DNA sequence: CCGTATCCAAATAGATACTG
DNA sequence: CAGTATCTATTTGGATACGG
């Protein structure tokens, strides 16, 4: 139950309408969405496969994130009217346009991580010298 | 006061260490960081200029975000020992490596927004036809 | 199998008064 | 000027029992 008129919600809307980058983050940011999208880049996947392949995610959160991705037209939900029920998720064409961007994000991330690691090690060296 | 051992914090750490994209998000994601970085892409800026140019941000949040960016080696804080005090913020060289990525994110965001707009309008057309 | 519903824990955001 | 401290509001995340 989200208050639509909280300062918080208003700020979010304003920023997203002004800044495309903020919009992008609100669409694919968050803790779990990148993982979900990565899974689906491989192809269609069933609910349980997703849950299995994303360790630590709870059912509630998985469903919430999938619904948001659906609303943002990035993911499609296909229901097979069978018993036992079967549901598959797959990226829409719009969803697939994220591939390059994700690649970029991932590369920058590992570059940054390496940089941070070096920086930490240098600091430890200095401390060791002093001690 | 953040509990370091909460399931939440652990999940975050694990994900960031596995997935570079998640790492990138944790570094430049969040509501305000893109805006701050955009401001600093223009050049150095003082605390109050930042606050003025980012409408809606509170002091507390601005400082928190700046400190995180500092710890992630993206922003540098320069203190001039004067009275009245003067502090300037600027991007580090590492911070400037984000430029291309941000450009990418921004372009994808506006593309996605256009797509969503068209989709909404189509839905309204259908509703209008029915009514 | 594929989820909802519920309840609680934790994190984040905001306003604002105060300080060196 | 450039923050910190404090208090509260709001959102997000997690575990898990249950339902179609």
């Amino acid at each position: 139950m989200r208050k639509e008129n909280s300062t918080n919600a208003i700020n979010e809307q304003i920023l997203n309408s002004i800044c495309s980058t903020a919009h992008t983050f609100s669409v694919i940011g968050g803790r779990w969405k990148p993982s979900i999208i990565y899974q689906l880049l491989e192809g269609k996947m069933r609910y349980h496969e997703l849950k299995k392949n994303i360790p630590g995610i709870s059912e509630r959160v998985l469903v919430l994130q999938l619904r948001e991705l659906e609303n943002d037209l990035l993911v499609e939900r296909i229901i097979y009217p069978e018993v036992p029920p079967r549901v598959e998720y797959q990226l829409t064409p719009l969803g697939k346009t994220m591939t390059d961007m994700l690649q970029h994000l991932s590369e920058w991330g590992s570059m940054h991580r390496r940089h941070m690691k070096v920086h930490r090690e240098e600091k430890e060296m200095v401390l060791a010298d002093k001690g």
Side-chain angles (χ1 to χ4, degrees), chain A residues 2-66:
Chain A
R2 180 173 185 173
K3 286 211 178 169
E4 294 297 336
N5 289 19
S6 63
T7 321
N8 194 349
I10 291 172
N11 268 336
E12 187 178 354
Q13 282 171 29
I14 292 177
L15 265 178
N16 287 354
S17 66
I18 292 172
C19 170
S20 301
T21 305
H23 174 79
T24 303
F25 279 124
S26 82
V27 170
I28 61 164
R31 183 170 308 161
W32 300 106
K33 281 184 187 172
S35 300
I36 295 173
I37 294 166
Y38 272 114
Q39 290 300 318
L40 295 178
L41 282 173
E42 312 274 334
K44 327 189 232 217
M45 206 163 279
R46 297 181 66 171
Y47 177 81
H48 251 73
E49 289 179 280
L50 278 172
K51 183 161 161 45
K52 195 180 55 192
N53 291 343
I54 305 175
I57 196 168
S58 74
E59 305 217 327
R60 187 179 104 94
V61 173
L62 176 56
V63 171
L64 279 175
Q65 304 300 308
L66 282 169

